[in-house]
Amino acid sequence: MSLVSFGSDNHSGVHPSLLKAIHDANIGDAPSYGTDEWTLAAEKKISKIFGKPIDCFFVFNGTGANVTALKALTQTWQSVLVSDVSHLNVDECAAPEALAGCKLIPVPSQNGKLSVDALDSFLIRRGDQHFSQAQAISITQPTELGTCYSIEELKTIGSWAKKNKLFLHIDGARFANAAVSLSTSLKNIIEAAQADVLSMGGTKNGFMMGEAVIFFNPALSQNFKYIRKQFLQLPSKSRFIAAQFLAYFENDLYLEIAKHSLSAAEKLYQLSKDIPAVKICYPRQSNAVFAQIPQSWIKPLREKFFFYVWDEKTFTCRWMTSWNTTDENISAFARELKNIQSNTKDF
Ligand SMILES: Cc1ncc(COP(=O)(O)O)c(C=O)c1O
């Protein structure tokens, strides 16, 4: 048995209802490459969730969703404005540059979020043949630092993007968490941001694996089927990804999973925020608590629980919850924090 993990929502297993959906789809033969009945039904369902016609493509993973989406938006001489801490910028091994072929322009962020003020100063030299031309902006919702853009912030960025003729991509690896955090719908977030394309996460939300690239701007999806194939993201047995998306959107399971993850993170935040040596770094708005702790606490805590040190210089740790995080897991973690505190002078 491995340690209880607060490392990532990637660490939890498959949600039983999603595993059942895979099992239930495992009957007989079905056409492949997205022509099966599950894929067609899931596309219909997703279109209903967003309240408009969409073009939806299932892919294997989040990096693949992001990179193929950017490929659909850009030419090789164009650039995408992203947050300096975005997954696209720091955790995709330069795949956007290498494969999508566009340039990423990292823009300083606050609590993981981009602002129009910061973006404005990077929107330069348009029409200058010597300079890569800004074509799109990508925001992550919720951000990599566990914060969420408010609806007002989304509206401001969305209008700014449209005014400046930039496409808007959302990395929504944990998109349902943002809807729960903001007490709104997935549709409202897309409309507020006037998003053109969304990388909609499944894997971090209880799936075995699978994500969707969802286009709200039909002009941009025309060649996507070729891009997806060329970028090795076309699943042959797509029914098993589609079956998970169908179950995920059935009976609001997506909200149930997000609510559970967020309420677990809130409990963890409440139990750790008043421990004197624990410094909470960012507002807790998704399923992660970022906390700075004394360096000497990391080893003993890690002997009992798995988690990542997010910043090796400041000893900021990321404690992430998931659909399967239990109250006992959280209480045990908080108990251990308090235990270490009472046995050390480091605070
Ligand atoms: C915000 C965000 N986007 C994209 C990804 C990429 O997902 P994958 O690891 O499936 O490529 C991750 C994974 O951690 C993520 O956190």
Side-chain angles (χ1 to χ4, degrees):
M1 271 295 271
S2 55
L3 293 178
V4 168
S5 179
F6 291 98
S8 173
D9 37 19
N10 272 330
H11 291 192
S12 45
V14 186
H15 187 283
S17 302
L18 299 171
L19 196 57
K20 180 173 181 302
I22 294 175
H23 180 265
D24 292 349
N26 193 31
I27 39 159
D29 296 336
S32 52
Y33 300 112
T35 56
D36 57 277
E37 62 185 87
W38 290 266
T39 300
L40 303 178
E43 286 167 359
K44 236 183 178 168
K45 184 128 207 155
I46 293 171
S47 170
K48 211 162 154 208
I49 290 279
F50 287 102
K52 58 166 95 166
I54 44 123
D55 284 321
C56 174
F57 299 83
F58 297 121
V59 295
F60 292 113
N61 58 38
T63 302
N66 284 343
V67 172
T68 51
L70 294 195
K71 179 70 185 169
L73 304 185
T74 56
Q75 303 286 340
T76 51
W77 61 88
Q78 292 176 326
S79 52
V80 181
L81 300 169
V82 297
S83 142
D84 51 354
V85 300
S86 64
H87 197 272
L88 271 162
N89 188 43
V90 293
D91 277 310
E92 298 191 356
C93 195
E97 293 91 336
L99 304 177
C102 58
K103 182 180 173 73
L104 293 186
I105 300 195
V107 176
S109 56
Q110 267 252 297
N111 293 343
K113 295 192 269 185
L114 290 169
S115 68
V116 161
D117 277 351
L119 286 162
D120 258 333
S121 57
F122 284 83
L123 190 64
I124 54 170
R125 296 175 67 178
R126 297 191 99 184
D128 177 346
Q129 64 184 336
H130 301 287
F131 196 74
S132 141
Q133 296 295 297
Q135 170 79 346
I137 148 172
S138 176
I139 61 173
T140 311
Q141 176 78 328
T143 72
E144 290 77 1
L145 300 184
T147 54
C148 285
Y149 290 87
S150 68
I151 290 291
E152 271 319 301
E153 287 169 332
L154 292 168
K155 282 184 180 164
T156 305
I157 290 193
S159 308
W160 181 87
K162 285 291 160 298
K163 184 182 89 192
N164 289 299
K165 300 197 173 10
L166 295 168
F167 295 128
L168 192 134
H169 165 254
I170 299 182
D171 177 349
R174 304 177 174 87
F175 199 51
N177 292 358
V180 166
S181 180
L182 298 174
S183 303
T184 190
S185 62
L186 304 182
K187 174 174 175 277
N188 283 349
I189 297 178
I190 293 301
E191 285 177 359
Q194 302 183 56
D196 294 289
V197 57
L198 165 71
S199 301
M200 170 93 207
T203 314
K204 292 166 182 60
N205 311 274
F207 284 37
M208 177 177 285
M209 50 96 205
E211 319 280 307
V213 181
I214 303 173
F215 288 89
F216 305 100
N217 177 348
L220 296 170
S221 58
Q222 297 313 306
N223 295 319
F224 194 78
K225 64 181 176 182
Y226 309 115
I227 294 172
R228 177 174 61 168
K229 177 69 187 185
Q230 198 174 54
F231 281 56
L232 321 177
Q233 285 286 331
L234 173 60
S236 52
K237 293 188 181 177
S238 64
R239 70 170 132 153
F240 296 109
I241 295 181
Q244 291 175 87
F245 270 105
L246 266 176
Y248 187 57
F249 286 122
E250 191 70 42
N251 302 322
D252 291 342
L253 177 64
Y254 69 112
L255 296 177
E256 188 190 304
I257 289 175
K259 277 180 192 157
H260 180 92
S261 304
L262 263 68
S263 88
E266 178 60 19
K267 284 177 199 153
L268 184 52
Y269 165 71
Q270 290 297 341
L271 288 177
S272 54
K273 75 179 173 42
D274 295 328
I275 298 174
V278 174
K279 182 176 162 246
I280 304 293
C281 304
Y282 311 112
R284 203 279 319 141
Q285 295 168 344
S286 185
N287 62 325
V289 175
F290 284 79
Q292 204 177 340
I293 58 174
Q295 181 183 7
S296 62
W297 290 26
I298 290 170
K299 189 165 175 290
L301 197 55
R302 271 246 184 113
E303 278 163 12
K304 303 239 165 104
F305 301 91
F306 185 83
F307 59 90
Y308 289 108
V309 178
W310 208 247
D311 184 331
E312 300 280 352
K313 290 195 199 96
T314 59
F315 305 105
T316 299
C317 303
R318 184 183 80 170
W319 301 328
M320 189 165 250
T321 54
S322 188
W323 67 265
N324 66 344
T325 308
T326 64
D327 282 352
E328 294 82 68
N329 296 154
I330 295 164
S331 312
F333 187 79
R335 249 195 330 273
E336 195 52 33
L337 277 175
K338 287 176 185 155
N339 190 24
I340 294 171
Q341 180 195 239
S342 55
N343 292 326
T344 156
K345 294 189 221 56
D346 280 340
F347 66 90

